[in-house]
mmCIF file of all heavy atoms in Angstrom:
data_model
loop_
_atom_site.group_PDB
_atom_site.id
_atom_site.type_symbol
_atom_site.label_atom_id
_atom_site.label_comp_id
_atom_site.label_asym_id
_atom_site.label_seq_id
_atom_site.Cartn_x
_atom_site.Cartn_y
_atom_site.Cartn_z
ATOM 1 N N LYS A 100 4.923 -29.193 -17.288
ATOM 2 C CA LYS A 100 4.491 -29.380 -18.672
ATOM 3 C C LYS A 100 5.496 -30.226 -19.411
ATOM 4 O O LYS A 100 6.708 -30.022 -19.277
ATOM 5 C CB LYS A 100 4.416 -27.995 -19.357
ATOM 6 C CG LYS A 100 3.855 -28.034 -20.751
ATOM 7 C CD LYS A 100 2.343 -28.122 -20.763
ATOM 8 C CE LYS A 100 1.758 -28.383 -22.127
ATOM 9 N NZ LYS A 100 1.767 -29.818 -22.476
ATOM 10 N N GLY A 101 5.003 -31.168 -20.190
ATOM 11 C CA GLY A 101 5.936 -31.958 -20.995
ATOM 12 C C GLY A 101 5.280 -33.173 -21.606
ATOM 13 O O GLY A 101 4.226 -33.622 -21.173
ATOM 14 N N GLY A 102 5.936 -33.700 -22.615
ATOM 15 C CA GLY A 102 5.386 -34.763 -23.433
ATOM 16 C C GLY A 102 5.398 -36.135 -22.789
ATOM 17 O O GLY A 102 5.868 -36.342 -21.661
ATOM 18 N N MET A 121 12.540 -29.838 -20.073
ATOM 19 C CA MET A 121 11.285 -29.085 -20.233
ATOM 20 C C MET A 121 11.255 -27.868 -19.312
ATOM 21 O O MET A 121 10.732 -26.809 -19.678
ATOM 22 C CB MET A 121 10.063 -29.973 -19.971
ATOM 23 C CG MET A 121 9.761 -31.016 -21.041
ATOM 24 S SD MET A 121 9.657 -30.398 -22.746
ATOM 25 C CE MET A 121 8.336 -29.200 -22.614
ATOM 26 N N LYS A 124 13.425 -25.406 -21.026
ATOM 27 C CA LYS A 124 12.814 -24.969 -22.296
ATOM 28 C C LYS A 124 11.718 -23.939 -22.031
ATOM 29 O O LYS A 124 11.673 -22.883 -22.663
ATOM 30 C CB LYS A 124 12.228 -26.201 -23.001
ATOM 31 C CG LYS A 124 11.839 -25.975 -24.430
ATOM 32 C CD LYS A 124 11.208 -27.225 -25.044
ATOM 33 C CE LYS A 124 12.150 -28.399 -25.147
ATOM 34 N NZ LYS A 124 11.569 -29.544 -25.886
ATOM 35 N N LYS A 136 7.911 -34.848 -17.762
ATOM 36 C CA LYS A 136 7.957 -35.768 -18.908
ATOM 37 C C LYS A 136 7.385 -37.095 -18.482
ATOM 38 O O LYS A 136 7.459 -37.476 -17.309
ATOM 39 C CB LYS A 136 9.400 -35.976 -19.372
ATOM 40 C CG LYS A 136 9.513 -36.464 -20.793
ATOM 41 C CD LYS A 136 9.428 -35.283 -21.757
ATOM 42 C CE LYS A 136 9.628 -35.661 -23.175
ATOM 43 N NZ LYS A 136 9.812 -34.441 -23.988
ATOM 44 N N ALA A 174 1.603 -34.049 -23.206
ATOM 45 C CA ALA A 174 1.509 -33.657 -24.624
ATOM 46 C C ALA A 174 2.188 -34.759 -25.449
ATOM 47 O O ALA A 174 2.838 -35.641 -24.884
ATOM 48 C CB ALA A 174 2.217 -32.321 -24.828
ATOM 49 N N PRO A 175 2.108 -34.690 -26.769
ATOM 50 C CA PRO A 175 2.786 -35.706 -27.578
ATOM 51 C C PRO A 175 4.313 -35.579 -27.524
ATOM 52 O O PRO A 175 4.852 -34.496 -27.300
ATOM 53 C CB PRO A 175 2.302 -35.419 -29.006
ATOM 54 C CG PRO A 175 1.092 -34.558 -28.863
ATOM 55 C CD PRO A 175 1.294 -33.788 -27.597
ATOM 56 N N ASP A 176 4.977 -36.691 -27.715
ATOM 57 C CA ASP A 176 6.430 -36.733 -27.869
ATOM 58 C C ASP A 176 6.731 -37.919 -28.786
ATOM 59 O O ASP A 176 5.850 -38.316 -29.562
ATOM 60 C CB ASP A 176 7.107 -36.839 -26.487
ATOM 61 C CG ASP A 176 8.582 -36.489 -26.513
ATOM 62 O OD1 ASP A 176 8.910 -35.296 -26.563
ATOM 63 O OD2 ASP A 176 9.436 -37.398 -26.516
ATOM 64 N N THR A 204 -2.364 -31.379 -23.979
ATOM 65 C CA THR A 204 -2.313 -30.571 -25.201
ATOM 66 C C THR A 204 -1.856 -31.453 -26.363
ATOM 67 O O THR A 204 -1.373 -32.556 -26.159
ATOM 68 C CB THR A 204 -1.382 -29.360 -25.044
ATOM 69 O OG1 THR A 204 -0.080 -29.839 -24.704
ATOM 70 C CG2 THR A 204 -1.890 -28.387 -24.005
ATOM 71 N N ARG A 216 -0.996 -26.827 -34.002
ATOM 72 C CA ARG A 216 -0.180 -27.585 -33.050
ATOM 73 C C ARG A 216 0.640 -28.672 -33.744
ATOM 74 O O ARG A 216 1.793 -28.904 -33.373
ATOM 75 C CB ARG A 216 -1.065 -28.203 -31.948
ATOM 76 C CG ARG A 216 -0.316 -29.055 -30.921
ATOM 77 C CD ARG A 216 0.726 -28.259 -30.148
ATOM 78 N NE ARG A 216 1.530 -29.062 -29.227
ATOM 79 C CZ ARG A 216 2.626 -29.741 -29.556
ATOM 80 N NH1 ARG A 216 3.047 -29.767 -30.807
ATOM 81 N NH2 ARG A 216 3.310 -30.403 -28.628
ATOM 82 N N ASN A 351 15.321 -33.511 -28.892
ATOM 83 C CA ASN A 351 15.766 -33.198 -27.532
ATOM 84 C C ASN A 351 17.070 -33.924 -27.275
ATOM 85 O O ASN A 351 17.159 -35.140 -27.472
ATOM 86 C CB ASN A 351 14.722 -33.664 -26.505
ATOM 87 C CG ASN A 351 13.490 -32.768 -26.504
ATOM 88 O OD1 ASN A 351 13.612 -31.546 -26.550
ATOM 89 N ND2 ASN A 351 12.313 -33.368 -26.462
ATOM 90 N N GLY A 379 6.855 -26.497 -30.149
ATOM 91 C CA GLY A 379 5.810 -27.454 -29.746
ATOM 92 C C GLY A 379 5.175 -27.054 -28.427
ATOM 93 O O GLY A 379 3.942 -26.940 -28.323
ATOM 94 N N VAL A 380 6.011 -26.802 -27.443
ATOM 95 C CA VAL A 380 5.436 -26.478 -26.135
ATOM 96 C C VAL A 380 4.836 -25.074 -26.138
ATOM 97 O O VAL A 380 3.881 -24.799 -25.398
ATOM 98 C CB VAL A 380 6.465 -26.701 -24.991
ATOM 99 C CG1 VAL A 380 7.526 -25.636 -24.940
ATOM 100 C CG2 VAL A 380 5.736 -26.792 -23.660
ATOM 101 N N SER A 383 1.525 -25.650 -27.412
ATOM 102 C CA SER A 383 0.807 -26.351 -26.333
ATOM 103 C C SER A 383 0.270 -25.336 -25.320
ATOM 104 O O SER A 383 -0.862 -25.424 -24.851
ATOM 105 C CB SER A 383 1.737 -27.318 -25.602
ATOM 106 O OG SER A 383 1.797 -28.552 -26.258
HETATM 107 N N1 LIG B 19 7.258 -33.131 -26.521
HETATM 108 C C1 LIG B 19 7.467 -31.765 -26.883
HETATM 109 C C2 LIG B 19 8.781 -31.258 -26.326
HETATM 110 O O1 LIG B 19 9.662 -32.039 -26.000
HETATM 111 C C3 LIG B 19 6.277 -30.881 -26.516
HETATM 112 C C4 LIG B 19 5.955 -30.834 -25.071
HETATM 113 C C5 LIG B 19 4.647 -30.105 -24.740
HETATM 114 O O2 LIG B 19 4.031 -29.591 -25.635
HETATM 115 O O3 LIG B 19 4.299 -30.096 -23.571
HETATM 116 O O4 LIG B 19 9.024 -30.087 -26.276
#
Side-chain angles (χ1 to χ4, degrees):
K100 185 80 189 83
M121 288 308 301
K124 193 183 295 187
K136 201 83 176 192
D176 197 77
T204 58
R216 178 61 184 85
N351 286 317
V380 74
S383 274

